[in-house]
Amino acid sequence: MCVNIIGWNMESSTVAKCKAKKRKNSTHTAQEEAKRLKTEQRDDEVPQCGPASCLPRVSVLPDRLQQPIALDELTELLQYAALGKTGGIKKPSWCRLRHHRKVKGVNVVIVEDLTQNHFYKHYLCLQHLRTSYTSRVTFTPSSVDVVSGIFSSQVPKQDGLSVSKPDEELQEAMKNHPIITVFGTERRGLTAYVLTEKEMIKNNYPVKGMPGFEEFLCTDCADCVTDSSPLFGIDCEMCVTEDGKELTRVSLVDGDGKCLMDELVKPPNHILNYCTKFSGITPAMLQPITTTLQDVQEMLIRILPHDAVLVGHSLEHDLIALKLIHKHVIDTSLLYKRECGGRFKLKVLTGIILKRKIQTEDMLGHHPTEDALAALELAQYFIRTGPRQVLEIHWKALWRETETREEPSESHRFSDVLQALGRSVAFLGKDSDIALKESSHKQCNSDKEVLKSFRNLKTRPSFSVLQFSTLSNHLKSYFPHQERHHQMTCSRLQDMCVVLAGPFPSGFSDGDVKQLFSFCGAVRKVKMLNTVVRVHAEIEFELLEGAMLAVKTLNGLDVLGQTIKVQRPVCESMLDLDVTLEALMGDPLNASHLYAVKMNHSMTECISTSTKVNGHVSDAERLDVTPVKTVNGLPPAKINKWLHLNTSKSELSEESVKETFGHFGTVKRVIVSAKPKESTGHARIVFVNSEDRRAALNSSEDLWKKKYLICPSLTPVHLPSWVGAENKKTTHSHSSAQEQQMDVVMRKLDRCLQKLFTSLPAGTLSVVVLLGHASTNGHLPGLCLMEVKQDC
């Protein structure tokens, strides 16, 4: 799902030079200055003339560009786009949707497990996504199901609109209740409630043959079960280790409630968090334990008969912890379905249905035997009573009162409001517990089926959500160790900001290297590479621009009589770097952006200094800058100036930058790259259009005389740094075959989204959400891309 492709219009070099010269020689009148200031205040306004000024468009507010958004903020935009001010919806707090009345529809694509780092790692493969969407913002991974979160989000109560279900008649409310629509009204045997293989895959149960579960052990169970097959309740407790969540305790009860097994288990990896508050497990409890995961797997296989049906609450987590595949399961969290698509807690179900308290505050964590027994009895009660009677008996206490307690009295679910207003709504993707009419919910088993089903709709829905999950399966298949894969992706991106430099004079420290290379951009870290004979360094910049300027300007620099070479690392991941950087220059987010460095006198004049040489201080040593030819705004030829290490950087101010670069066109804003209370010589300059940027680039020689070093912006503006968090360099690597497979999958995804976007009517707000990845070691952010499709 993408938007009309935005071309990067550039004037010819001759025209641009003439334009720059003309603007440079002109003087700003008071009237022109006032007009420019007014334009800056409007910031993201479209031009006042032409038909484009009346078209709907979406943009992120300047002060929110580098702040990630969460699910709640995403739903702000979706609700405003779908309902507008007339629905009592406030404008989104983080973005602007201009001329929202002309938005004809909203289409959202959810791509599972794809991160922001994946997007930029495979940037060249995603031509449609990177060129069509002019607004991007980092997305924080959500702990709840995003699809359910969108449809179940609350909107203000609207006068004259009744969307709540009537209290007077239970029968009316039961017509579309998920328990009835899934299980029917008649009482049936236990086999009616055993999850199918498709349901197990949808709910992330370990299934034989599915990616990610290749090393799991299969129980010796029959191909099918009967209504007289025995039930066994099971529950596990886990801790967090270096390898993620691992098993620490397992309990098994039979159909009579007798405890057959209650074993503590010692994980093979170092424990980071015992999760005592929930698991009840303490270091002292596990200290003498020698029982392993393999031991309890063998015990379970020995105890369970061939036709055993395992019962648990959100049982997929227990089986994953056990690394066990069992075909026949009943999940009580899916038996007692909620209307909003969520799941009841075991504690709530046990208290209301069984009239028994578990997991009380006076207990140290949960007791797995108690929880296993509760899940078993809940399943037995549901089978014995039947879905209709369960709903009739417990409607008020469980569903009605629980939903009322959890939903604000003055709010309604987004999906209810849309349907009550007669808006067409659709969800296509994996089966999900969302409150939609059956005709609006299409279950699809592949991305190809999602696309085909959507394009085959006779009329496009006014609000639609499409869930793409094939990529997630590929990631698990190609890279079973997800954490290692994500670390490797971050490392590849970090390589793009790295340069190697040397040889340096003996005694040159990492601080000296950092100070020298900081003239090109913010340096993240310096690693000294001391060989037997000479001293080299690996320098990693925060931004791509810093590395580019370092290679272009410092290569060949004479440092105390020692000529240094500055180059990129030579490795497989860097082979297409030049193509990637060229594509980033043409990125719609960078089209009118310029990166500038303000040099101080030490870069251009001879200054007496003190520099350590061989451990001694030598006065008046100088560094000679080798002539470098101008390339994309880099220093002109025949420059023979002096570089001085031990002096402060030159500070940039927004006013001075606007004054200097305003001669080339209207400067919309200046983003000064500085940490609080630190001076900086680096800034991003945002022009109103790309022609003004081109004019500045073609006047680089004049700017050099004013001590400015410039180049086109490379790092998209929503990224404070090219690789967000500090990532530990991994020694693991992916095979070329794996990388090629990922590139193929990414291209297929991009083509699929392009076809989807082509089928959208003009005026549709198109949103693509790469969900990111949540793990025990922290979150890897996703990415939200937005655009309003225009007429071709």
Side-chain angles (χ1 to χ4, degrees), residues 686-718:
V686 183
F687 290 100
V688 167
N689 57 62
S690 58
E691 296 174 2
D692 299 335
R693 182 187 80 158
R694 173 52 58 190
L697 288 170
N698 286 322
S699 299
S700 58
E701 293 188 19
D702 293 329
L703 289 167
W704 171 257
K705 294 173 184 177
K706 295 181 179 181
K707 302 181 179 62
Y708 278 101
L709 191 62
I710 61 171
C711 72
S713 288
L714 300 171
T715 307
V717 68
H718 72 96

Side-chain angles (χ1 to χ4, degrees), residues 244-264:
K245 288 186 177 181
E246 293 194 58
L247 183 72
T248 53
R249 189 174 183 179
V250 56
S251 293
L252 183 75
V253 298
D254 64 15
D256 296 324
K258 179 183 177 182
C259 182
L260 304 179
M261 179 179 177
D262 183 18
E263 292 289 335
L264 289 169

Side-chain angles (χ1 to χ4, degrees), residues 80-146:
Y80 182 70
L83 300 174
K85 294 178 182 178
T86 55
I89 309 298
K90 294 182 180 179
K91 290 182 179 180
S93 60
W94 59 278
C95 67
R96 285 289 175 266
L97 180 60
R98 304 189 185 281
H99 303 291
H100 71 276
R101 292 184 182 86
K102 296 186 179 181
V103 173
K104 304 299 182 183
V106 180
N107 179 258
V108 184
V109 168
I110 306 295
V111 184
E112 295 185 341
D113 278 341
L114 200 63
T115 68
Q116 181 171 262
N117 284 344
H118 281 125
F119 178 86
Y120 287 109
K121 168 66 176 66
H122 301 277
Y123 182 78
L124 294 177
C125 301
L126 301 171
Q127 183 176 4
H128 174 64
L129 282 179
R130 63 182 167 87
T131 58
S132 298
Y133 288 81
T134 56
S135 291
R136 275 177 231 152
V137 64
T138 304
F139 182 79
T140 302
S142 175
S143 58
V144 300
D145 180 68
V146 172

Side-chain angles (χ1 to χ4, degrees), residues 15 63 91 105 229 447 502 539 763:
V15 175
D63 60 345
K91 290 182 179 180
S229 294
D447 295 352
I539 302 98

Side-chain angles (χ1 to χ4, degrees), residues 652-662 667 670 683 685 708:
L652 277 178
S653 68
E654 187 173 341
E655 294 73 20
S656 63
V657 172
K658 285 186 176 180
E659 182 181 353
T660 301
F661 288 87
V667 176
V670 176
I685 302 158
Y708 278 101

Side-chain angles (χ1 to χ4, degrees), residues 712-731:
S713 288
L714 300 171
T715 307
V717 68
H718 72 96
L719 298 176
S721 62
W722 178 239
V723 179
E726 183 73 27
N727 178 63
K728 185 178 180 181
K729 280 275 187 177
T730 177
T731 56

Side-chain angles (χ1 to χ4, degrees), residues 308-324:
V309 176
L310 287 180
V311 178
H313 195 78
S314 296
L315 184 54
E316 71 274 16
H317 302 299
D318 304 289
L319 291 176
I320 289 173
L322 286 163
K323 292 191 175 181
L324 209 61

